[in-house]
Amino acid sequence: MQPGTFMQTSSVPVLAASAGPILEFERRILDSMVDIEHWFRQSWQEHTPPFYGSVDLRNAGFKLAPVDMNLFPGGFNNLAEDTLPCTVQAAHIAIERFCPDARKLLLIPERHTRNVFYLQNVARLVRVLTTPGLDVRVGSLSPEVTAPTVITLPGEERLTVEPVRRHGNRVGLVDFDPCIVLLNNDLSAGIPSQLRDLDPTQTLLPPLHAGWAVRRKSNYFQCYDEVAQQFAQLIGVDPWTINPLFARCGMVDFREKVGEECLANSVDRLLAEIRERYREHEIRERPFVIVKADAGTYGMGIMTVRDASEVVGLNRKQRNKMAVVKEGLEVSEVIIQEGVPTYETIEQAVAEPVVYMIDRYVVGGFYRVHRERGIDENLNAPGMEFVPLAFANPCNLPNVQAKPGSSAQNRFYCYGVIGRLALLAASIELERTELAALAPDAARTLTPDPAAARAAEGKQRHPVPLAGQGGVRAAP
């Protein structure tokens, strides 16, 4: 989570008048609530939820879909204070699931220890995790942290960060041997030696293959596509309305202009597919796609594209922007994702909801708001602000009697449903990529070449091809 500020508002974000179809979707969700909750209960009996996660959503009125799934969420400080009881309860359940006898937990954050906003997130996590009866300490992998360091945060809150130490096949601190090691570090820089080959009796959460050293967004969205197909059939909606199309290009080198043809062809095909969907749904908008690194986060390595020609012959500044993401990770693979505009605004500034979950429960969220960005741009950028989701009641308690569009409670319930779909897809992704932790290159082979698969599919478009099975994949 990059630095940002809080906006103070008591109003529910405004949804553009053109967003009418989402009201019918809300009605369908509410009418199907019993079936939906039963379906989720059954699904969680078959799949283990990640310890925690956050999902960025986009509400275009005609489409409500996740555009990013983070398995190392770093914005717990942006959640409203009144969400803490639910957050603590969910954390308690998660701890009991993975290590019921745990007494000590080591929290390993990102290596940047000077980002005050991020450190407030760490402090909030310590507070949440201590309440279920855990001795929680914070250990850093940063070489700059060589001794216990006390950091004073706003409000006179203090956070002590200590250097991580390896003791045989266990990891901890000099005088601290934890039962659980919880990562709030997405491993963009690779899997550190301190975390490899740990004693199996020491629980590491999330697992190593959840980090960007192994994980690929295209693999995730393939899993989401499958979940969205099942869910859409359950409630009787077009799966495209909850699932963005995507394609993938490997062997890209922006600095050397390698892979431009693959990228341009993929953009062209995806835009053509989106235009066809727009015609089917009578949407009078100009489609766009988002090109971003297939691994990595922090809103880096992202560009909005409306025509294939825009990715050919990028200037030096554009190539440098796309070539490297967090921790200096070189971009060699990209995902081309259907752009989902956001039609929600707060004080006339563009906004998008971010839903936070622990175990299988929605615990809160916030709106990411940006006054200088448009409805088709990435809002996870310097200048963003945050507004905690104004849950008047718990988000899992919708008002089924309310008229569609009249209740913030119901809108947030719908966001929680899509958030849980995204979390379920993440659990399936982790199951499928577990072996990739031992061989990081394996992650690149999990999503087949889209162009080759699309040729095998021929011209058939229904049912919608799964990610990697067609040049274009339907909505994760």
Side-chain angles (χ1 to χ4, degrees):
M1 184 69 59
Q2 294 189 22
T5 57
F6 281 98
M7 295 177 67
Q8 298 298 326
T9 179
S10 59
S11 62
V12 177
V14 174
L15 190 60
S18 60
I22 200 66
L23 303 183
E24 171 57 29
F25 177 76
E26 180 182 306
R27 183 74 268 161
R28 189 69 62 88
I29 288 283
L30 294 176
D31 289 345
S32 305
M33 184 182 69
V34 172
D35 290 335
I36 289 170
E37 297 303 331
H38 179 258
W39 181 82
F40 271 123
R41 282 207 321 275
Q42 288 185 312
S43 297
W44 290 126
Q45 290 175 23
E46 299 174 8
H47 305 286
T48 301
F51 183 86
Y52 53 12
S54 68
V55 58
D56 296 357
L57 302 180
R58 285 279 183 137
N59 188 345
F62 58 85
K63 190 182 190 94
L64 173 60
V67 294
D68 198 19
M69 178 75 216
N70 188 354
L71 295 178
F72 302 87
F76 280 95
N77 56 308
N78 296 323
L79 303 185
E81 186 76 16
D82 58 9
T83 66
L84 283 183
C86 288
T87 305
V88 168
Q89 185 178 22
H92 199 148
I93 292 170
I95 293 296
E96 288 184 342
R97 178 190 302 278
F98 289 104
C99 191
D101 297 326
R103 293 183 60 86
K104 297 180 180 180
L105 183 146
L106 177 64
L107 177 61
I108 299 182
E110 298 284 358
R111 295 193 294 180
H112 46 70
T113 57
R114 295 184 178 88
N115 184 328
V116 173
F117 294 96
Y118 175 72
L119 291 175
Q120 287 178 303
N121 157 74
V122 175
R124 172 66 66 87
L125 277 173
V126 170
R127 180 180 170 191
V128 166
L129 295 167
T130 300
T131 306
L134 290 172
D135 181 4
V136 180
R137 288 168 69 174
V138 180
S140 176
L141 296 168
S142 172
E144 298 178 3
V145 179
T146 58
T149 303
V150 179
I151 302 170
T152 301
L153 300 173
E156 298 303 313
E157 187 172 20
R158 291 174 177 269
L159 181 69
T160 300
V161 181
E162 305 174 64
V164 166
R165 293 287 183 263
R166 180 77 177 228
H167 306 283
N169 61 351
R170 297 180 68 85
V171 67
L173 306 175
V174 170
D175 58 348
F176 190 73
D177 182 21
C179 317
I180 298 177
V181 178
L182 179 63
L183 297 178
N184 198 241
N185 180 320
D186 64 20
L187 307 179
S188 290
I191 299 174
S193 58
Q194 298 99 312
L195 300 180
R196 290 184 179 273
D197 302 318
L198 292 179
D199 183 341
T201 64
Q202 188 170 49
T203 303
L204 178 65
L205 301 170
L208 294 178
H209 56 278
W212 290 120
V214 174
R215 192 172 179 235
R216 296 295 181 269
K217 296 171 187 176
S218 52
N219 291 333
Y220 167 74
F221 279 113
Q222 175 177 343
C223 296
Y224 181 82
D225 182 66
E226 297 169 15
V227 170
Q229 297 278 347
Q230 296 174 32
F231 182 79
Q233 184 176 10
L234 175 73
I235 67 170
V237 300
D238 182 346
W240 176 77
T241 61
I242 58 172
N243 186 24
L245 302 167
F246 77 88
R248 172 184 174 274
C249 275
M251 304 300 292
V252 173
D253 187 330
F254 283 99
R255 287 202 173 103
E256 300 299 325
K257 300 184 179 181
V258 173
E260 280 190 347
E261 182 177 358
C262 169
L263 186 55
N265 288 339
S266 296
V267 168
D268 196 47
R269 288 195 300 269
L270 188 54
L271 284 171
E273 177 74 2
I274 300 169
R275 281 191 290 269
E276 184 175 347
R277 297 303 182 105
Y278 277 21
R279 283 193 294 270
E280 292 175 2
H281 291 266
E282 299 182 347
I283 298 165
R284 295 176 177 84
E285 303 284 347
R286 186 184 178 192
F288 65 97
V289 299
I290 301 296
V291 177
K292 54 187 175 182
D294 204 14
T297 184
Y298 271 53
M300 302 174 70
I302 298 176
M303 65 186 298
T304 300
V305 177
R306 294 187 178 274
D307 189 272
S309 62
E310 297 173 23
V311 298
V312 177
L314 298 176
N315 62 40
R316 179 177 296 179
K317 181 178 179 181
Q318 291 171 318
R319 295 201 309 273
N320 288 341
K321 174 187 173 183
M322 294 297 297
V324 178
V325 290
K326 181 187 168 193
E327 299 281 7
L329 184 67
E330 293 283 343
V331 175
S332 60
E333 303 161 90
V334 297
I335 181 173
I336 305 97
Q337 188 178 62
E338 175 186 357
V340 181
T342 177
Y343 287 156
E344 288 187 285
T345 58
I346 294 178
E347 297 179 7
Q348 299 182 324
V350 176
E352 64 184 10
V354 184
V355 176
Y356 273 62
M357 294 156 287
I358 294 180
D359 199 78
R360 63 184 187 273
Y361 303 101
V362 174
V363 298
F366 54 83
Y367 274 96
R368 182 184 290 119
V369 184
H370 209 298
R371 299 180 186 275
E372 299 177 1
R373 294 286 175 115
I375 64 172
D376 61 349
E377 294 183 284
N378 167 42
L379 304 188
N380 189 3
M384 61 183 168
E385 302 171 79
F386 306 108
V387 179
L389 290 182
F391 291 125
N393 292 290
C395 58
N396 60 347
L397 187 62
N399 180 2
V400 296
Q401 303 301 323
K403 181 181 178 181
S406 65
S407 168
Q409 195 174 335
N410 289 346
R411 191 191 303 182
F412 296 152
Y413 174 73
C414 292
Y415 291 168
V417 168
I418 301 299
R420 285 182 287 164
L421 290 179
L423 190 73
L424 178 58
S427 72
I428 296 171
E429 175 200 11
L430 292 181
E431 291 166 9
R432 294 180 181 176
T433 57
E434 185 171 2
L435 294 178
L438 301 176
D441 287 345
R444 307 185 182 197
T445 68
L446 294 175
T447 301
D449 175 65
R454 188 170 179 82
E457 290 280 336
K459 296 183 178 180
Q460 179 182 358
R461 193 170 61 80
H462 298 291
V464 178
L466 298 181
Q469 289 185 321
V472 175
R473 160 192 170 320

